[in-house]
């Protein structure tokens, strides 16, 4: 992006303290660690939102305070709380695993708003906690379409071990059972341990007779697993479904896919033919940017910054409010898409969208 972003590091924000003349929004995004692949895209998106907001007449100028969510959850939560107490941060947008999220919300002061732009278990929406990302249930229409249209009856579930994949596996198993399908393999490993366990998981998959594979992994783990599946020849032998996991930047990381057998489910994709998405893509293109691509999570983070600023300008930040969650900070529907080289092509018949 060829513009200066109104960002400040958490360390500097704490060093210089609060600035009442500016509105500070925290952005808890992965600049390292498991989900670091998503960080540049999110930074571009929230930066673009802040630049545009700062050009609005009569608005208080905005600073985005950056927190690296790729560290240990305890450290991330410590920094978030410190920014509220000592640096005047009014609200946050979060891009991280639900495991990290739990550490944060357990300690977040009562009046601080937190918008989660990534996958979650569907239990967060409250007057101050806004869950805008995908839930495991949103991917189920896509899974049913693959069962029916790709005639896949025998499934393997490959997952990492934390709350979101655990819930996803339960929902997927219930759906597969209801559709008369068989789960022939349900294997999981700890986060960040996919690489040393990939060979064992491929051996199990090879003897399972699976026709389809669901990948319930985040960030680098998902990329590692998909690369391993391709190396083992499973890209041609199985239908692979990575709901809420594989976006355009992850697709680039595996050097694309031309098998016609790799599917993703997200709330948005680059080039999606909706008015809101086209406006976002056009604005991004006008800045001369090409990579990283603005993924679904980046779009949600972008919109969350705008919505939190709107709440601030209406006097709704910094107070405990007895009101329903903001409709502009709620999760929408989901699109199923198939990888075509280095992009995704949406399958309209398999998409259930109720997004605003």
């Amino acid at each position: 992006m060829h513009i200066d972003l109104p960002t400040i590091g958490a360390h500097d924000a704490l060093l210089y303290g609060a600035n009442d003349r500016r509105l500070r929004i925290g952005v808890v995004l992965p600049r390292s660690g498991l989900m670091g692949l998503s960080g540049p895209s999110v930074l571009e998106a929230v930066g673009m939102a802040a630049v545009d907001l700062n050009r609005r007449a009569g608005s208080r100028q905005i600073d985005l305070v950056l927190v690296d969510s790729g560290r240990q959850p305890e450290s991330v939560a410590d920094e978030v709380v410190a920014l509220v107490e000592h640096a005047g941060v009014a609200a946050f947008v979060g891009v991280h695993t639900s495991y990290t999220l739990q550490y944060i919300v357990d300690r977040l002061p009562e009046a601080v708003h937190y918008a989660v732009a990534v996958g979650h278990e569907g239990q967060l929406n409250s007057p101050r906690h806004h869950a805008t990302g995908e839930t495991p249930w949103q991917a189920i229409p896509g899974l049913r379409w693959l069962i029916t249209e790709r005639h896949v009856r025998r499934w393997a579930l490959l997952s990492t071990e934390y709350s979101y994949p655990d819930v996803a596996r339960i929902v997927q198993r219930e759906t597969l059972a209801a559709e008369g399908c068989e789960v022939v393999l349900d294997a999981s490993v700890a986060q960040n341990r996919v690489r040393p366990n990939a060979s064992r998981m491929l051996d199990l998959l090879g003897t399972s007779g699976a026709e389809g594979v669901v990948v319930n992994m985040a960030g680098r783990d998902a990329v590692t697993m998909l690369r391993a599946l391709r190396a083992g020849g499973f890209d041609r032998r199985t239908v692979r479904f990575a709901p809420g996991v594989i976006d355009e930047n992850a697709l680039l990381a595996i050097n694309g896919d031309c098998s016609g057998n790799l599917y993703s489910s997200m709330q948005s994709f680059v080039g999606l033919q909706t008015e809101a998405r086209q406006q976002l893509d056009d604005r991004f293109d006008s800045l001369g940017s090409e990579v990283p691509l603005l993924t679904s999570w980046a779009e949600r983070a972008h919109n969350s910054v705008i919505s939190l600023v709107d709440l601030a300008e209406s006097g709704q930040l910094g107070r405990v409010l007895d009101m329903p969650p903001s409709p502009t900070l709620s999760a929408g529907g989901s699109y199923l898409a198939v990888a075509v080289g280095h992009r995704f092509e949406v399958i309209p018949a398999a998409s259930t969208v109720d997004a605003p």
Side-chain angles (χ1 to χ4, degrees):
M1 184 181 292
H2 306 307
I3 54 176
D4 293 328
L5 302 183
T7 60
I8 180 173
H11 176 78
D12 287 342
L14 290 169
L15 179 64
Y16 296 112
N19 183 345
D20 294 337
R21 293 173 298 177
R22 301 181 72 87
L23 174 63
R24 285 183 169 175
I25 302 294
V27 183
V28 189
L29 77 166
R31 309 193 80 180
S32 63
L34 182 71
M35 296 174 63
L37 179 66
S38 300
S41 179
V42 173
L43 181 58
E44 294 275 308
V46 296
M48 185 168 66
V51 166
D52 291 342
L53 288 166
N54 281 343
R55 291 173 176 167
R56 295 200 309 200
S59 297
R60 186 159 47 137
Q61 294 293 286
I62 300 155
D63 285 330
L64 300 179
V65 182
L66 305 182
V67 177
D68 182 7
S69 66
R71 299 167 297 154
Q72 289 299 313
E74 300 92 333
S75 299
V76 178
D78 286 345
E79 196 159 77
V80 166
V81 172
L83 288 169
V84 173
E85 295 177 346
H86 305 296
V89 175
F92 292 85
V93 176
V95 177
H96 42 65
T97 66
S98 53
Y99 181 65
T100 296
L101 174 64
Q102 196 57 58
Y103 278 85
I104 294 171
V105 298
D106 283 349
R107 297 183 53 195
L108 204 62
E110 190 174 21
V112 177
H113 286 245
Y114 201 98
V116 185
V118 294
H120 61 95
E121 294 85 354
Q123 300 176 339
L124 239 192
N125 275 343
S126 75
R128 63 192 180 95
H129 296 154
H130 313 278
T132 73
E134 298 87 0
T135 71
W137 290 270
Q138 288 175 282
I140 294 307
L143 180 59
R144 290 198 178 106
W145 187 90
L146 293 171
I147 293 168
T148 302
E149 300 300 325
R150 294 300 308 268
H151 310 292
V152 181
R153 311 298 300 178
R154 294 169 58 83
W155 287 88
L157 309 181
L158 304 182
S159 312
T160 46
E161 296 164 353
Y162 70 99
S163 54
Y164 186 87
D166 290 345
V167 173
R169 288 166 60 208
I170 293 170
V171 175
Q172 291 156 7
R173 290 187 70 101
E174 290 175 348
T175 300
L176 293 170
E179 296 294 327
C181 297
E182 183 181 1
V183 177
V184 296
L185 176 64
D186 188 351
S188 62
V189 297
Q191 286 189 78
N192 289 308
R193 298 296 297 168
V194 172
R195 188 179 302 277
N197 286 282
S199 178
R200 177 180 63 85
M201 297 182 84
L202 292 186
D203 288 343
L204 293 171
L205 181 61
T207 58
S208 70
E211 302 163 334
V213 180
V214 181
V215 178
N216 296 310
M217 299 176 180
R220 184 175 59 221
D221 283 342
V223 168
T224 299
M225 191 72 250
L226 288 171
R227 285 173 175 168
L229 288 169
R230 174 184 291 165
F234 291 98
D235 57 332
R236 301 289 176 178
R237 292 154 48 190
T238 62
V239 168
R240 292 153 298 143
F241 184 33
V245 168
I246 293 297
D247 58 24
E248 289 85 355
N249 288 318
L251 188 59
L252 288 174
I254 64 170
N255 198 27
D257 190 279
C258 296
S259 69
N261 292 327
L262 177 60
Y263 294 83
S264 178
S265 176
M266 288 282 185
Q267 291 172 329
S268 180
F269 288 95
V270 175
L272 184 66
Q273 296 300 305
T274 64
E275 182 179 356
R277 181 70 217 203
Q278 286 296 300
Q279 289 177 352
L280 183 69
D281 289 342
D282 289 346
R283 176 67 177 121
F284 189 57
D285 291 343
S286 74
L287 300 174
S289 300
E290 295 182 358
V291 291
L293 300 172
L294 291 192
T295 64
S296 180
W297 292 351
E299 180 180 1
R300 285 282 159 175
H302 170 276
N303 295 344
S304 293
V305 168
I306 295 172
S307 296
L308 289 173
V309 171
D310 288 343
L311 287 176
E313 293 183 346
S314 65
Q316 296 179 40
L317 287 187
R319 298 163 51 202
V320 181
L321 300 169
D322 184 16
M323 59 180 287
S326 165
T328 59
L329 279 168
S330 300
S334 185
Y335 293 91
L336 180 71
V338 60
V340 180
H342 291 86
R343 63 182 179 87
F344 280 105
E345 185 174 295
V346 169
I347 303 169
S351 302
T352 58
V353 179
D354 54 21

